[in-house]
Every structure is written in structure tokens, then in C-alpha cells.
Amino acid sequence: MRILDDGSFIFLLLYVDDMLIVGYHLCDVNEFKSMLSKEFDMKDLGSAKKILGMEIHMDMKSRRQWLSQQGYVEKVLDKFNMSNAKLVLLH
């Protein structure tokens, strides 16, 4: 995490060769990416849709972000021929 002068922050999440940079201001994120690319060989894939098999969802209107593993769960269910299994909700 890098804290900026205005109190905002930038998170750098790194796992092996997957990297995600998150920040409040896009210009700060771009500046940070530019600084990193001078030191490391990087490829900018644009706005993140997935990280480590988790789908990233963003609702700009409500300013919400969340992660989902629905695709992964569906893949596992397919693998074990359980796509048509009945859903049971536990409370």
C-alpha cells in the first residue's frame, strides 16, 4: 500500500505473475504504473475483469465493487457432472 499526500492510497496486489493495482484516483494509478514499468517488464491489460480466477464486478453508479467466484463454481460443478444438482440453502 502506498499512501499519497491527499490521504488516498494505492494498493498493489501481486501473486506470482498476476498483478492488480487499485487506487482512488485514476491519474495516480497511471502514474504508479508508469513508474513501475520503468523498472519492470510489464504488460497493461487495462481495467481488471478477473484476478486469480475471481471475477471483478464494478457498479460505477453506486460506487460498489465486489468479487465473484460464480464462474469457478460452475466449472467445478461441470467437471463433476453436477451442473443440474439441486440448490440447498443453509441458514
Side-chain angles (χ1 to χ4, degrees):
M1 181 169 77
R2 178 179 178 195
I3 299 176
L4 305 175
D5 293 338
D6 65 357
S8 62
F9 53 85
I10 294 176
F11 284 106
L12 174 90
L13 300 117
L14 183 65
Y15 183 79
V16 185
D17 63 348
D18 286 337
M19 182 184 343
L20 181 66
I21 301 172
V22 180
Y24 189 77
H25 301 290
L26 183 59
C27 60
D28 292 335
V29 170
N30 287 334
E31 182 181 325
F32 188 63
K33 288 192 302 189
S34 176
M35 185 179 69
L36 285 174
S37 68
K38 290 177 185 169
E39 298 293 326
F40 304 100
D41 185 28
M42 293 175 33
K43 189 186 312 179
D44 188 347
L45 301 176
S47 184
K49 305 284 186 252
K50 252 184 174 182
I51 183 81
L52 302 176
M54 292 178 281
E55 300 156 19
I56 300 171
H57 298 276
M58 292 182 251
D59 182 346
M60 296 303 198
K61 245 183 194 177
S62 66
R63 300 181 68 179
R64 291 179 50 217
Q65 298 178 358
W66 64 96
L67 300 174
S68 169
Q69 290 187 298
Q70 181 176 342
Y72 173 74
V73 170
E74 289 172 356
K75 185 176 174 181
V76 170
L77 289 172
D78 284 343
K79 180 178 179 179
F80 293 100
N81 298 316
M82 295 182 65
S83 295
N84 297 322
K86 293 182 180 178
L87 176 66
V88 175
L89 298 176
L90 302 175
H91 295 280

